[in-house]
Amino acid sequence: MPRIRPITDLRNTTEISEMCHENHEPVFITKNGYGDLVVMSIEAYEEILKTIQDDLAISDAERELTEGQELLNARDAFSALRRKHFG
């Protein structure tokens, strides 16, 4: 369940920080009854960024497939990566 707090609660930074870290979810801050800010832990932010990057990579791969780009054999691709990174 989302946590929604008024902007005046930002005065108690420790409480807001604890909420973000305990629940691993953002806290939504309102101003005059309307959404204004989102506060979250760095870990939650990085997790969201990782998810976005993964989704973009999948989207790019799907686009390449529909455009008819050549598919790679998984064994050949992994062998090439091993040679490149592990000698």
Side-chain angles (χ1 to χ4, degrees):
M1 171 160 272
R3 302 241 177 180
I4 302 170
R5 305 298 277 231
I7 200 161
T8 55
D9 283 5
L10 286 179
R11 292 181 185 139
N12 190 348
T13 56
T14 302
E15 180 184 349
I16 298 291
S17 176
E18 287 173 358
M19 278 194 291
C20 291
H21 288 282
E22 286 174 3
N23 300 312
H24 302 287
E25 293 181 352
V27 175
F28 298 90
I29 307 296
T30 61
K31 183 177 181 181
N32 298 324
Y34 296 96
D36 188 47
L37 302 169
V38 176
V39 180
M40 66 179 72
S41 68
I42 289 175
E43 294 82 11
Y45 177 74
E46 289 174 345
E47 186 175 316
I48 289 170
L49 284 181
K50 172 104 173 71
T51 301
I52 290 170
Q53 290 170 342
D54 292 346
D55 290 347
L56 287 174
I58 291 169
S59 177
D60 288 345
E62 289 174 341
R63 181 183 43 77
E64 290 175 2
L65 181 63
T66 60
E67 290 174 354
Q69 296 222 2
E70 179 184 352
L71 294 176
L72 301 175
N73 178 295
R75 290 184 197 282
D76 295 340
F78 283 122
S79 293
L81 287 171
R82 277 191 211 95
R83 283 192 305 274
K84 178 180 177 181
H85 294 286
F86 301 108

